[in-house]
Amino acid sequence: MLVSLGLTERSDALYRLVLRRPDLAVPDVAVELARTEDDVRADLEELTRLSLLAPSRRTDGRLRAVNPKAALDSLLAPQQAEIAQRRRALAESQAAASALPSQYAELHPAQPAHEAERFLGVAAVRAKLSGMSARTRRESIGSSRSP
């Protein structure tokens, strides 16, 4: 459906009918779509305003369907422009947001991390102590007694 492009459901149905059967007169269209002739004329005006229909080159006052590709491209153009504008705004927001972490880091320097290791089980503790004692080159002795 072309409702997302600004058509009503009625005008969408009429446009599709005009594409299939371009030589129908307003009374025939009204019968085909079970509408009043005034409703059909109002929808024809809407389709003309949206450049989906244009006056026929003949002098009979009829409307003809504009090439759907060209007509729909012109209806899509405002949405495409809006998407492009939103992409630009998103890129600007992303650029601004990417600068915030470094600004935060300058104002809040990182505190030195306290590393901790977790050992599960006696065997893991013994293995760690064994490795540490193998790398030890000096001995330090301290006393915990008070004088």
Side-chain angles (χ1 to χ4, degrees):
M1 281 197 130
L2 303 175
V3 174
S4 64
L5 298 176
L7 275 72
T8 63
E9 290 184 22
R10 283 183 5 191
S11 59
D12 183 344
L14 175 57
Y15 180 64
R16 291 172 191 275
L17 179 61
V18 170
L19 288 175
R20 285 192 317 275
R21 300 181 58 197
D23 292 329
L24 287 178
V26 170
D28 300 326
V29 171
V31 170
E32 180 86 19
L33 296 176
R35 296 190 192 139
T36 67
E37 288 185 26
D38 287 341
D39 286 343
V40 170
R41 283 188 184 88
D43 291 339
L44 288 170
E45 287 177 22
E46 179 182 358
L47 293 171
T48 303
R49 180 182 55 79
L50 293 171
S51 300
L52 291 166
L53 298 180
S56 172
R57 290 187 179 95
R58 293 185 259 161
T59 58
D60 59 6
R62 291 188 183 214
L63 297 170
R64 65 174 175 79
V66 174
N67 178 323
K69 170 82 171 106
L72 295 173
D73 282 350
S74 71
L75 287 176
L76 287 170
Q79 290 180 9
Q80 291 170 333
E82 180 183 347
I83 290 170
Q85 191 279 328
R86 286 185 177 191
R87 284 187 177 152
R88 283 189 298 274
L90 177 61
E92 290 171 7
S93 296
Q94 288 173 325
S98 68
L100 290 177
S102 62
Q103 292 172 356
Y104 179 83
E106 289 173 12
L107 295 172
H108 305 282
Q111 301 296 321
H114 298 285
E115 293 185 30
E117 279 185 74
R118 184 175 181 189
F119 301 100
L120 298 175
V122 173
V125 173
R126 285 186 181 146
K128 182 64 174 181
L129 289 173
S130 176
M132 289 171 60
S133 63
R135 290 188 305 272
T136 301
R137 301 288 178 242
R138 297 189 302 228
E139 180 179 10
S140 283
I141 300 176
S143 172
S144 62
R145 289 193 288 166
S146 305

